[in-house]
Amino acid sequence: MARIELRSIQKFFGAVQVLKDVNLTIEDGEFVVMLGQSGCGKTTTLRAIAGLETVSSGTISIDGREVQDLRAADRDIAFVFQSFSLYPHMTVYENIAFPLRAVGMSQDQREAAVREVAKVLGIERLLNRKPSALSGGDMQRVAIGRALVRRPKALLMDEPIGALDAKLREQMRAEIKRLHIARNSTSVYVTHDQIEAMSLADRIVVMHGGLLQQVGAPEEVYNRPANLFVAQFVGSPVMNVSGVAIEGGAGAAVLSFGQGAGIPVAGGHVGHIPGGKAVKLGIRPEAVLLRHEPGEGFVETTTTNVEPLGSHEIVDVRLGETTLRARVEPGFVADGQRVWVGLDPQRAHFFDGETGLALRRTA
Ligand SMILES: Nc1ncnc2c1ncn2[C@@H]1O[C@H](COP(=O)(O)OP(=O)(O)O)[C@@H](O)[C@H]1O
Ligand SMILES: [Mg+2]
């Protein structure tokens, strides 16, 4: 187990800067997920921690000791890659035991260590097989077993289940979480899949363009996104974002969507927003409310699309220049029907129209 600290990390490949001042502390025993789209620098960060890549500047510490100049082999960190990287000519047992060769354990100790991880991973019955006789999920279980058998200080995983089909990914997600709880190893996990991030992480690190956008618990990243990028990257369907003008004063205000369409909200919900600023409203589909009849805070509109998804439906409604997507019960409304739309002001997010930074209530 280990505490990992990244301080002012920069990384250039030639003239291209792919990491721009990355600062992050990963606590001992924590499960941190780095989330971001392809090319944002996740793998480079992970490889830098492991020592598979050098950094251009900054420091990396493990348990207070600077390691940026140490070789990968001297950092005691294990790495699981997305591609199945098993030795094809060795059995599962030999693959898992391989990292123990250099450690100077007795045969008995090695066998006990291999059997223990195989048991945790549920692959004891596969120990005599060759990798070619394994399913994709089992290959990745073996790769994780090989990474864990030495009891490394930390386990780094780079999209370890990204190549598996959807059903298996769901199952493996649960297994990886269980494994983390059982081993309590410091884990850093990279993915572009927000559901994986939400379900696995103690804390999520949202990355974009070589910069950390937000670091926080899953519910914090979801409920209090620091900026528009995070707001729209996390959550499915995507958070509605619309330019709004805030009209009216302290008592009552109207969020104007243009073309005379506006939704009234109590002034307290927008009192923290400086006047005269270009503002974006962010509202998740579950906080867009639809009704079949008029009501206070609701305005009349027409549905323009209905997407049935089994457990719920996503309904599009037009409001001025904006289309808002709402999440409703199945069968709630048909396409082209009249409805009244309102917002849950407690779950409305406002962002600076220029910087994209969240405008937060201070109180
Ligand atoms: N060895 C390399 N040489 C040059 N550019 C690289 C190298 N490795 C990665 N990059 C570039 O660095 C950026 C970040 O890559 P990476 O860390 O792999 O992103 P991610 O894992 O988030 O998809 C990308 O633009 C990628 O093309
Ligand atoms: Mg990558």
Side-chain angles (χ1 to χ4, degrees):
M1 297 211 291
R3 182 172 195 265
I4 301 169
E5 283 181 88
L6 307 181
R7 287 289 160 261
S8 309
I9 299 295
Q10 304 198 35
K11 175 66 183 179
F12 289 84
F13 285 113
V16 182
Q17 187 170 16
V18 300
L19 297 180
K20 304 169 184 164
D21 196 30
V22 170
N23 289 281
L24 179 66
T25 301
I26 299 154
E27 298 298 338
D28 193 12
E30 198 178 18
F31 198 118
V32 164
V33 176
M34 308 195 62
L35 173 67
Q37 58 214 167
S38 180
C40 72
K42 305 180 297 295
T43 294
T44 304
T45 307
L46 212 57
R47 290 174 58 84
I49 297 172
L52 301 172
E53 194 73 74
T54 58
V55 293
S56 306
S57 63
T59 59
I60 302 173
S61 308
I62 298 175
D63 288 334
R65 176 175 173 228
E66 285 193 14
V67 298
Q68 67 274 4
D69 299 322
L70 292 186
R71 293 182 308 146
D74 297 327
R75 297 193 194 185
D76 192 16
I77 283 181
F79 204 107
V80 178
F81 301 89
Q82 172 169 2
S83 54
F84 311 124
S85 49
L86 303 178
Y87 301 111
H89 57 286
M90 295 184 189
T91 63
V92 167
Y93 181 98
E94 289 161 347
N95 264 283
I96 297 176
F98 189 81
L100 299 177
R101 283 193 191 173
V103 181
M105 281 183 165
S106 72
Q107 165 106 27
D108 284 356
Q109 285 170 320
R110 279 209 298 268
E111 175 154 357
V114 171
R115 292 204 177 277
E116 197 249 355
V117 288
K119 188 169 173 205
V120 176
L121 289 158
I123 51 172
E124 291 162 291
R125 73 204 148 77
L126 305 177
L127 286 172
N128 294 322
R129 292 212 194 151
K130 290 276 175 62
S132 58
L134 300 179
S135 67
D138 283 334
M139 281 197 221
Q140 225 31 350
R141 289 185 184 96
V142 175
I144 293 170
R146 191 176 57 187
L148 283 175
V149 74
R150 274 188 302 119
R151 294 198 165 266
K153 283 190 171 166
L155 177 61
L156 311 184
M157 293 170 270
D158 192 358
E159 315 231 14
I161 59 177
L164 306 177
D165 65 55
K167 195 169 165 215
L168 191 52
R169 277 208 306 275
E170 212 168 286
Q171 187 188 336
M172 291 290 288
R173 224 161 60 206
E175 286 183 26
I176 288 172
K177 188 157 193 170
R178 197 168 43 75
L179 185 71
H180 172 73
I181 292 165
R183 282 294 188 111
N184 201 28
S185 53
T186 306
S187 303
V188 191
Y189 185 104
V190 158
T191 183
H192 62 272
D193 180 328
Q194 44 139 344
I195 298 184
E196 254 173 56
M198 294 291 285
S199 68
L200 283 169
D202 293 322
R203 281 190 305 155
I204 294 177
V205 177
V206 183
M207 226 178 153
H208 180 57
L211 284 170
L212 307 190
Q213 303 291 314
Q214 186 168 6
V215 182
E219 56 275 17
E220 191 183 340
V221 168
Y222 189 83
N223 293 320
R224 289 173 59 82
N227 59 36
L228 268 176
F229 178 83
V230 176
Q232 293 205 279
F233 194 72
V234 176
S236 175
V238 178
M239 181 189 278
N240 297 289
V241 171
S242 168
V244 290
I246 298 171
E247 294 164 356
V254 172
L255 301 179
S256 168
F257 293 86
Q259 299 173 356
I263 294 185
V265 292
H269 292 297
V270 292
H272 61 292
I273 298 167
K277 223 185 209 329
V279 171
K280 294 229 159 114
L281 164 75
I283 187 107
R284 295 200 185 278
E286 65 263 31
V288 176
L289 313 173
L290 297 186
R291 305 167 43 122
H292 290 298
E293 56 297 308
E296 201 184 327
F298 283 76
V299 297
E300 188 180 338
T301 181
T302 309
T303 59
T304 56
N305 189 40
V306 175
E307 200 174 277
L309 293 169
S311 63
H312 62 280
E313 294 182 0
I314 301 299
V315 176
D316 292 1
V317 295
R318 196 82 199 141
L319 207 57
E321 289 148 13
T322 296
T323 297
L324 290 180
R325 315 198 78 201
R327 182 187 163 119
V328 297
E329 299 278 289
F332 180 81
V333 70
D335 194 5
Q337 234 181 316
R338 187 159 74 141
V339 286
W340 282 261
V341 58
L343 309 174
D344 178 352
Q346 304 277 6
R347 290 188 283 170
H349 304 266
F350 294 96
F351 302 94
D352 186 306
E354 273 149 37
T355 63
L357 292 177
L359 299 166
R360 292 222 170 110
R361 253 166 283 201
T362 41

